Amino acid sequence: MTTSVVSVTVDLVLLTIRQGALQALMIRRGIEPYLGRWALPGGFVLPDEDLEEAAARELREETGLDPRAGHFEQLATYGAPGRDPRGRVVTVAYLALLPDLPAPVAGSDAAGADWRPVDDIKPGDLAFDHDRILADGIERARAKLEYTPLATAFCAPEFTVAELRSVYETVWRTRLDPRNFHRKVTGADGFVEATGGTVIRDRGRPAQLYRRGPATLLHPPLLRSGQE
């Protein structure tokens, strides 16, 4: 009976909204395999660290960012034979939803790091099986926006309902009726709380400011279908 050595890596799907588009953090690989190809941030888990520690370390080393600046959760595990030409490698992927952050700075074994619009990333663009992992992360984010308040993770600590609606429209790739959306958001138990402040955006009328409320699930949910 032969035993094969299995290595464990972590990969990160980090999503933000920049310039009106849903964007993912990508690193350009500076080493083989896939030298020069875009990939998700990540790397091998060290013997003395757990998975979440490894994910945070890899991100700091490759980009200078901390995924815990926003929402951070485990996404899925990927272990298909042949997914990594270096040998039998199982990866645990994490999903982070972040407010707009400064451009990342590449380090460690990354030749470059940048935010890239997800609509510009085509099948086959990414190293390893990162196309599938990215697609799974995007769909998880889209689904969780239906029934949790995680859309606020893309926002500043205080935001307007219009800014929150823009998050939903960008992530879901659809237009939402402003009045209907306002009613649904303010009517969902514990979704948002008024701060008492107002702000004027783009020389418009004063808009009320909100912050995330205490709810972990939305009642009722904001479903992608039948919004109008």
Side-chain angles (χ1 to χ4, degrees):
M1 179 178 179
T2 60
T3 58
S4 59
V5 177
V6 178
S7 299
V8 179
T9 61
V10 289
D11 288 305
L12 298 102
V13 178
L14 290 102
L15 302 176
T16 194
I17 294 176
R18 293 169 62 88
Q19 301 173 338
L22 182 64
Q23 302 199 18
L25 184 63
M26 292 287 151
I27 61 100
R28 191 179 293 278
R29 290 186 55 80
I31 59 173
E32 294 287 359
Y34 301 106
L35 176 66
R37 292 273 294 277
W38 288 104
L40 298 171
F44 287 95
V45 178
L46 300 179
D48 60 346
E49 63 186 355
D50 68 20
L51 295 171
E52 189 168 321
E53 289 174 344
R57 173 185 56 78
E58 282 291 341
L59 188 68
R60 286 193 297 268
E61 289 179 356
E62 294 188 348
T63 68
L65 300 178
D66 188 335
R68 289 166 291 198
H71 174 76
F72 188 52
E73 68 175 69
Q74 192 173 119
L75 174 62
T77 301
Y78 301 83
R83 61 171 301 275
D84 191 319
R86 293 169 294 190
R88 191 75 167 95
V89 179
V90 173
T91 195
V92 180
Y94 284 81
L95 171 67
L97 309 181
L98 304 167
D100 191 5
L101 295 173
V105 178
S108 183
D109 58 359
D114 202 2
W115 294 102
R116 297 188 61 198
V118 298
D119 287 343
D120 292 348
I121 302 172
K122 308 304 180 186
D125 281 357
L126 304 184
F128 306 105
D129 55 355
H130 289 185
D131 299 275
R132 177 189 173 192
I133 298 174
L134 175 62
D136 290 348
I138 293 170
E139 181 50 37
R140 171 76 66 85
R142 287 174 174 153
K144 295 202 80 165
L145 262 59
E146 295 184 352
Y147 60 90
T148 76
L150 290 184
T152 59
F154 290 112
C155 298
E158 295 187 355
F159 49 86
T160 67
V161 171
E163 289 166 344
L164 185 62
R165 187 181 77 250
S166 179
V167 169
Y168 278 90
E169 291 179 336
T170 300
V171 176
W172 284 351
R173 291 193 235 172
T174 190
R175 302 297 295 177
L176 302 174
D177 177 74
R179 291 185 179 181
N180 196 26
F181 181 82
H182 190 286
R183 177 180 57 80
K184 287 175 177 287
V185 166
T186 56
D189 293 339
F191 186 3
V192 296
E193 297 177 337
T195 67
T198 60
V199 66
I200 298 177
R201 303 286 198 223
D202 300 325
R203 295 176 294 178
R205 298 168 59 184
Q208 192 168 11
L209 286 170
Y210 292 84
R211 59 174 167 258
R212 177 175 172 170
T216 56
L217 295 174
L218 299 184
H219 302 287
L222 279 71
L223 302 177
R224 274 179 280 182
S225 59
Q227 292 290 305
E228 300 303 324

